Amino acid sequence: MRSLRGEIALGFGVVIVLMLALGASFYLSEQRSAAAIDKLLNSDNRMADLSLRSSLAIYKARDAENELLLSADRLGVAQASARSLPAMQNHLLDMREYLASLRILSTDPKFRDQVDRIETQTRQYEDGFLAFIARLGKEGSLDSAHAFHQGYVDTAVAIESSVEALHTMATKRALQTRNDVERAAKLSRWAAIAMVVLATVLGAVVASIVSQRITGSIAQLIAFSRRVAAGDFGARAPQGRADEFGILANAMNQMAESIENSNALLESSADRLKHQATHDVLTGLPNRALLEDRLRQAVSYADRYGRLMTVVFINLDGFKLVNDSLGRKAGDELLKVMAERMTQCLRGVDTVVRTGGDEFVIVLYDQPGDGTEVAPALQRLQEAIAQPVEIDGQGVQVTASLGVATYPADGADVDTLLMNADAAMSRAKASGRNNFQFYAAEMNDAIRDGLAMREGLRNAIVRGEFHLVYQPQVEMGSGQVTGVEALIRWQHSERGLVSPVEFIPLAEETGLIVPIGEWVLRTACFQNKAWQDAGLPAFSVSVNVSARQFRERTLIEQVAQALEESGLEARFLELELTESMVMEDLEKALQSMKALQAMGVQFSIDDFGTGYSSLSALKRFPIARLKIDRAFVRDIPGDEEDKAIAKAIISLGHELNLKVIAEGVETEQQLEFLRAHGCDEMQGYLFSRPVLPAELAALVKTRSGIAAAGGTSVARPRRMATR
């Protein structure tokens, strides 16, 4: 096969043969002398360098000698020798090595004799200097030291002159050799230039011939490539030639065929890729990206035919518990089962969408005008979802809260429908879960109110809208005030007085309960210290600690700082905790409580009897008081069960050496019952409602017999920035 490679090789072969013929004679003549010249040039240059190094070495040795002599008077001969003599000897050793190398390289007998004389002088110089140093400073050796000094100095001067002469001789020889080599190089350059010119002329001729063979084929391949780039994957390149261009054309045709097949595969997989982009990977349901399109189609259909369309927002109740207890894998399996059940409950025209997590949206198409089919469909969904599921041998059961919004009554566009369905679902959650709620306009009003309340709560501390009231705690026997509970109130600038029942859950949800709780703690400490400074009997102030605040790592630091800045003794501060709060993480709670107890802070368990603590855990708590929840006091003495529970709590507290205080005491009958069964203290409207600091001070003075004369200060701590 005649190939393009062969044609190019033939053309350039002529050039190569001619160049070889012209260069053969030049090469043969140069070959004989090149090695000898290189060797001679390298040898002469090396000798000049070594002679220069020898000269430098003797100068460095002399410098070390001078340094030693100069420092001998200041440091002493021994210390000066230790510092400078090794350097001098190293320089002389280097010089001997350079001279030995010169002897090896040189072929001139006179040059070698000169080297030998310098080596001999170098040894004499070193020996003379060492002898001089040995006598320097010794008594009675001044004349001999002087003689040795003169001797090695004369030798050193002779060495310097000899080395200079040796370097001059070597340098002249190297320059002469370099000049000879340069003359030979000029001749070689002219010969090379002549060969390059000849090769250029021949190369141009060959290139012209070869280019004519190549450009035609390249033009055809370029035209083919442009067609393929334009999308004509059916184009093919001509394959008439049998050389490399023919092989390339064949390969490009195969490439075009492969691209054509790949394009067909891409087109066939477009639907699959679109499905992956618009469907949930886990459940296979449509995802949020497809939801809006399905909703628009449903709205358009409802408008065209005068029908209804319903959006159902679904949230699984208890899904987080499954995820936390059985793991994310079990949660994923549960979601798959729920997705399949929802799909099976609905018609083929309806759409089930997973929007994320445990939330789903269902679009019910083509509903009748009276909406009679919606409720049965929702009931079927609830029943299907509530059926037990077995995952990894573990029985699991969840329910669902559903929110329903209907087009066009509950929204004229997609975003409004989704928002209103979500609001209805939130109402279903708040109504006890496992139910469905139809959207009502007041739901959005409640949402807007909640958002406004949330925003107001963020600014309440900065604006100074919070204040504390205090409810006294009274000893059953003496009737004296033994403590007070600090209770927060919010005087909103527009709403007026906002009940803690409204804003405390919101503060817990948003995390604002932490800075609010810190403000309460600081304010209560400052107020109690102010009461003491005003002459009131010392009593403790109780501050409720929220679960979120108790979990904060900075709680201990906050308490210590509040006590330090207010000047209140720690024993007059009591923190009220709930059973459920402590039981969330018992060991961590005990660590925090013990750290605070070590400071002197007291603890009480609030709302005792309503939580889930165990008696074995209760005995480990470093607490001083149990508080009977008002739920067990309210119906005393009429309710036998409440009476039994109250008596049991009192008895349990006394067995654990704890004081027991009853909350919510409002009647004389309740008071007599609690007193008769040994309750230590009481708190409630029977004695006093929560009052402002000045009223509380007056009440305490009345009870303790202190004259009411003189004002009572109301302490306020420095303003604390919200976090």
Side-chain angles (χ1 to χ4, degrees):
M1 178 181 69
R2 186 179 181 185
S3 66
L4 181 64
R5 185 183 302 170
E7 294 178 2
I8 296 174
L10 179 62
F12 282 98
V14 176
V15 179
I16 293 172
V17 169
L18 181 58
M19 292 178 66
L20 289 175
L22 292 173
S25 58
F26 176 79
Y27 173 76
L28 291 175
S29 62
E30 287 289 319
Q31 188 68 28
R32 293 181 179 180
S33 58
I37 290 173
D38 290 342
K39 183 176 181 180
L40 181 60
L41 184 61
N42 291 335
S43 176
D44 290 346
N45 288 335
R46 178 64 174 160
M47 290 173 64
D49 179 67
L50 289 171
S51 62
L52 178 61
R53 290 175 181 267
S54 300
S55 180
L56 293 174
I58 187 63
Y59 290 143
K60 291 179 180 179
R62 293 303 308 275
D63 288 341
E65 168 201 332
N66 291 332
E67 183 179 354
L68 189 151
L69 294 177
L70 290 173
S71 60
D73 294 337
R74 179 169 50 86
L75 303 175
V77 175
Q79 186 172 355
S81 298
R83 292 182 57 183
S84 302
L85 187 58
M88 175 183 175
Q89 291 177 324
N90 286 336
H91 294 319
L92 293 176
L93 179 60
D94 291 342
M95 182 177 175
R96 292 191 192 96
E97 291 179 354
Y98 299 149
L99 293 173
S101 299
L102 281 170
R103 187 186 300 106
I104 295 171
L105 292 173
S106 176
T107 58
D108 185 356
K110 293 182 180 180
F111 192 89
R112 298 179 70 174
D113 289 342
Q114 181 71 6
V115 170
D116 291 339
R117 282 196 300 274
I118 294 173
E119 283 188 334
T120 302
Q121 291 171 341
T122 302
R123 284 193 294 272
Q124 293 173 354
Y125 165 66
E126 183 177 6
D127 294 341
F129 181 75
L130 292 175
F132 168 72
I133 291 300
R135 289 165 175 76
L136 185 64
K138 294 183 178 180
E139 295 182 3
S141 60
L142 180 61
D143 293 337
S144 61
H146 180 73
F148 277 110
H149 176 264
Q150 187 62 42
Y152 82 75
V153 169
D154 293 341
T155 304
V157 172
I159 292 173
E160 292 173 353
S161 300
S162 299
V163 172
E164 287 288 342
L166 189 69
H167 176 59
T168 301
M169 186 186 305
T171 302
K172 288 181 178 180
R173 183 170 178 175
L175 290 173
Q176 182 63 39
T177 303
R178 187 176 296 108
N179 291 334
D180 295 340
V181 171
E182 287 179 354
R183 284 194 296 273
K186 289 181 180 179
L187 294 175
S188 299
R189 283 197 293 272
W190 282 110
I193 290 171
M195 294 182 66
V196 169
V197 171
L198 180 59
T200 301
V201 173
L202 292 176
V205 174
V206 172
S208 177
I209 296 172
V210 173
S211 65
Q212 294 178 6
R213 294 283 296 164
I214 296 175
T215 53
S217 299
I218 289 178
Q220 293 177 345
L221 294 176
I222 290 175
F224 161 76
S225 300
R226 287 175 176 170
R227 291 177 62 189
V228 174
D232 184 8
F233 302 126
R236 297 293 183 267
Q239 296 183 237
R241 298 179 56 166
D243 57 13
E244 283 81 0
F245 277 107
I247 297 173
L248 180 59
N250 182 57
M252 294 182 74
N253 287 336
Q254 293 178 358
M255 179 187 68
E257 184 177 354
S258 176
I259 293 175
E260 187 175 18
N261 294 334
S262 298
N263 186 60
L265 288 174
L266 287 173
E267 290 178 352
S268 65
S269 61
D271 292 339
R272 184 172 66 255
L273 293 174
K274 182 178 179 181
H275 182 273
Q276 291 175 354
T278 57
H279 286 73
D280 178 50
V281 176
L282 178 64
T283 62
L285 295 176
N287 60 17
R288 188 181 294 274
L290 190 58
L291 173 60
E292 185 172 342
D293 179 67
R294 296 289 175 88
L295 283 171
R296 293 189 189 282
Q297 291 180 22
V299 167
S300 177
Y301 183 89
D303 286 340
R304 185 179 302 123
Y305 297 103
R307 306 281 282 179
L308 300 181
M309 184 273 290
T310 301
V311 178
V312 184
F313 209 104
I314 301 177
N315 183 269
L316 299 181
D317 305 324
F319 176 76
K320 185 178 184 300
L321 178 61
V322 176
N323 240 7
D324 293 344
S325 58
L326 300 182
R328 187 173 297 276
K329 184 178 179 181
D332 289 346
E333 291 299 320
L334 179 61
L335 289 173
K336 291 178 184 178
V337 173
M338 293 298 111
E340 184 177 357
R341 289 182 178 179
M342 293 180 199
T343 303
Q344 291 176 350
C345 284
L346 302 175
R347 302 167 300 171
V349 296
D350 298 327
T351 301
V352 182
V353 178
R354 183 187 177 212
T355 57
D358 60 344
E359 292 185 341
F360 299 82
V361 172
I362 293 178
V363 181
L364 299 176
Y365 281 73
D366 193 23
Q367 296 294 311
D370 56 3
T372 55
E373 296 184 5
V374 174
L378 299 178
Q379 291 172 351
R380 288 196 302 271
L381 278 170
Q382 282 191 295
E383 292 171 359
I385 291 171
Q387 293 297 317
V389 181
E390 185 171 334
I391 300 176
D392 295 334
Q394 176 72 41
V396 175
Q397 185 175 20
V398 294
T399 58
S401 297
L402 289 70
V404 185
T406 301
Y407 176 83
D410 298 330
D413 57 76
V414 169
D415 292 337
T416 303
L417 284 169
L418 286 173
M419 181 182 68
N420 292 341
D422 190 7
M425 186 275 293
S426 298
R427 174 64 65 86
K429 283 278 189 185
S431 299
R433 305 187 178 188
N434 192 24
N435 67 93
F436 58 85
Q437 295 286 332
F438 290 90
Y439 171 74
E442 59 268 17
M443 293 180 182
N444 280 340
D445 294 338
I447 292 174
R448 282 191 290 270
D449 288 345
L451 292 174
M453 179 80 73
R454 184 186 303 243
E455 186 62 26
L457 195 60
R458 293 184 187 280
N459 300 317
I461 296 179
V462 177
R463 294 174 179 172
E465 295 178 351
F466 287 127
H467 68 273
L468 295 184
V469 293
Y470 301 88
Q471 187 170 33
Q473 299 167 340
V474 182
E475 187 178 37
M476 287 285 192
S478 65
Q480 297 297 316
V481 175
T482 57
V484 296
E485 181 179 359
L487 302 169
I488 189 169
R489 296 294 184 263
W490 181 13
Q491 188 67 38
H492 194 281
S493 58
E494 298 177 358
R495 297 170 179 262
L497 189 63
V498 182
S499 169
V501 177
E502 296 182 53
F503 71 83
I504 291 297
L506 184 60
E508 288 274 8
E509 178 185 343
T510 59
L512 293 172
I513 193 66
V514 176
I516 291 174
E518 185 175 357
W519 179 87
V520 171
L521 176 67
R522 290 165 54 83
T523 303
C525 288
F526 273 88
Q527 183 59 65
N528 199 6
K529 178 60 175 173
W531 282 329
Q532 293 180 9
D533 293 343
L536 267 66
F539 51 77
S540 64
V541 59
S542 297
V543 176
N544 290 280
V545 178
S546 71
R548 191 155 184 173
Q549 186 182 8
F550 189 67
R551 290 194 297 267
E552 286 288 311
R553 296 180 179 179
T554 58
L555 175 63
I556 299 173
E557 180 183 347
Q558 291 174 11
V559 172
Q561 187 174 358
L563 291 171
E564 180 181 1
E565 292 182 1
S566 65
L568 181 68
E569 294 183 44
R571 62 194 178 99
F572 296 121
L573 173 64
E574 180 178 273
L575 300 182
E576 292 192 9
L577 312 175
T578 63
E579 294 177 87
S580 55
M581 178 198 310
V582 178
M583 293 304 295
E584 284 182 6
D585 189 343
L586 180 59
E587 295 303 322
K588 185 177 179 181
L590 286 172
Q591 291 178 5
S592 299
M593 293 172 72
K594 288 179 180 178
L596 290 167
Q597 184 191 37
M599 294 166 51
V601 176
Q602 303 293 314
F603 289 97
S604 64
I605 295 296
D606 193 15
D607 301 337
F608 186 76
T610 62
Y612 304 96
S613 64
S614 64
L615 297 180
S616 61
L618 181 63
K619 69 180 182 180
R620 299 173 60 188
F621 297 160
I623 58 177
R625 294 196 297 180
L626 290 181
K627 300 189 75 172
I628 305 175
D629 186 74
R630 66 183 67 249
F632 303 125
V633 176
R634 182 176 55 245
D635 295 329
I636 291 176
D639 191 296
E640 294 298 326
E641 292 181 354
D642 286 346
K643 290 166 59 178
I645 292 174
K647 288 191 292 184
I649 294 174
I650 294 169
S651 176
L652 173 63
H654 291 165
E655 288 294 327
L656 295 174
N657 295 320
L658 303 176
K659 287 189 175 182
V660 181
I661 178 172
E663 292 184 298
V665 180
E666 299 180 359
T667 67
E668 291 289 344
Q669 293 83 359
Q670 294 168 349
L671 177 63
E672 291 304 321
F673 174 84
L674 294 168
R675 182 185 289 128
H677 290 87
C679 186
D680 301 294
E681 298 171 343
M682 60 83 71
Q683 174 182 341
Y685 284 8
L686 179 63
F687 180 77
S688 172
R689 292 174 176 270
V691 294
L692 293 173
E695 297 177 73
L696 190 283
L699 181 63
V700 172
K701 286 180 178 180
T702 300
R703 282 282 172 166
S704 58
I706 299 176
T712 303
S713 60
V714 178
R716 295 187 183 274
R718 293 186 298 274
R719 175 166 291 183
M720 177 188 65
T722 56
R723 296 175 182 170

